[in-house]
Amino acid sequence: MQNNIIKIYKKLESIYPSIKTSLKYKSIFQLLIATILSAQCTDKIVNKTTKKLFKEYPNVSDLADADIRNVKKIIKPTGYYSLKANRIKNTSKRLRNNYNSKVPNNMEDLLTLDGVGRKTANIVLSVGFNKNVGIAVDTHVIRLSNRLKLTKNTNPEKIEIDLIKILPKELWNKFSILLISHGRNICRAKKPDCSNCILNDLCPYAKEILKN
């Protein structure tokens, strides 16, 4: 299994640029907020939304004191805007009150923030602080990990554990981004392009599709 995941990693690395995230931000705080907003939403829409959001509320105190009605109006395109607006305001207040307006650089404290689960925390630690603490598992990572038979689980936390067991720690940061990139471009939820997939010789799902 470990040899297989290394082959997968190397093939994906050969076709995707070395990017950490497609989210646009100017501070770790903005990265955190953008990542919270990215739940059930494309990065393209998030980037368009945060351009306006961060122009009005660029830092922790600005967003903590923001009119919630205006925040909801701005972030409406990202979906679940009422829930997300409350979460990013609550998180901003907690950062100001408990962390001197600084984003924590450890998993334990990040998980105390409203709207922050392990996926968001892993992204912030990896991209913002260059820390290899875990593997961010989103819907793309869930789908590809199962199609590639790297896990039998569908629960994000269990998938993260499974991937951590078979992937060298120094590759954790980039592996998630590679799977996400491949999920968006080739291994889509509907109509995956298995015939043009660089992994089709390693992927049980692709082999089954191409056999028929």
Side-chain angles (χ1 to χ4, degrees):
M1 183 72 79
Q2 188 168 28
N3 287 337
N4 205 43
I5 198 171
I6 296 298
K7 290 177 182 177
I8 291 168
Y9 179 91
K10 288 182 177 179
K11 284 199 169 194
L12 291 177
E13 188 181 37
S14 71
I15 61 172
Y16 294 109
S18 182
I19 59 169
K20 290 187 174 183
T21 179
S22 54
L23 294 172
K24 295 180 180 179
Y25 60 94
K26 293 182 179 179
S27 66
I28 296 178
F29 169 68
Q30 291 186 1
L31 170 64
L32 170 63
I33 298 304
T35 306
I36 293 173
L37 293 176
S38 71
Q40 305 297 314
C41 183
T42 66
D43 288 357
K44 183 178 180 179
I45 292 176
V46 172
N47 287 336
K48 187 176 180 180
T49 300
T50 54
K51 183 178 182 180
K52 183 175 182 181
L53 180 70
F54 295 150
K55 184 177 181 180
E56 290 198 37
Y57 311 111
N59 57 48
V60 175
S61 287
D62 291 328
L63 195 49
D65 294 332
D67 182 339
I68 191 69
R69 293 168 297 181
N70 192 45
V71 174
K72 288 179 181 180
K73 181 180 178 181
I74 293 172
I75 70 168
K76 189 172 183 177
T78 68
Y80 303 99
Y81 63 94
S82 183
L83 175 64
K84 289 180 180 179
N86 283 299
R87 282 178 169 175
I88 62 177
K89 261 191 68 78
N90 289 341
T91 283
S92 299
K93 288 178 181 178
R94 183 167 177 80
L95 289 175
R96 183 173 63 183
N97 296 338
N98 296 73
Y99 298 102
N100 196 29
S101 294
K102 303 292 184 182
V103 177
N105 63 356
N106 64 84
M107 179 68 74
E108 183 180 3
D109 287 333
L110 282 169
L111 291 177
T112 68
L113 302 175
D114 197 3
V116 177
R118 284 193 63 86
K119 184 199 84 169
T120 297
N122 273 320
I123 291 172
V124 171
L125 290 171
S126 170
V127 178
F129 295 101
N130 199 30
K131 284 190 170 186
N132 258 328
V133 176
I135 298 173
V137 178
D138 74 345
T139 54
H140 296 291
V141 177
I142 292 171
R143 182 173 68 257
L144 270 68
S145 295
N146 276 275
R147 286 179 175 175
L148 290 162
K149 300 298 183 187
L150 299 176
T151 182
K152 293 180 180 179
N153 290 300
T154 55
N155 177 275
E157 291 189 14
K158 290 182 179 179
I159 290 174
E160 182 183 5
I161 292 170
D162 289 342
L163 294 178
I164 282 174
K165 288 178 181 177
I166 57 176
L167 187 69
K169 186 174 183 179
E170 64 270 17
L171 305 182
W172 290 357
N173 279 358
K174 194 172 180 184
F175 190 65
S176 179
I177 297 296
L178 291 174
L179 289 186
I180 292 169
S181 297
H182 199 58
R184 286 173 177 160
N185 289 282
I186 300 293
C187 193
R188 296 176 288 271
K190 296 180 180 179
K191 296 182 179 180
D193 191 4
C194 295
S195 60
N196 291 311
C197 178
I198 196 172
L199 302 177
N200 60 23
D201 62 326
L202 298 172
C203 178
Y205 180 88
K207 289 178 181 177
E208 192 65 28
I209 293 293
L210 296 173
K211 184 174 69 176
N212 298 326

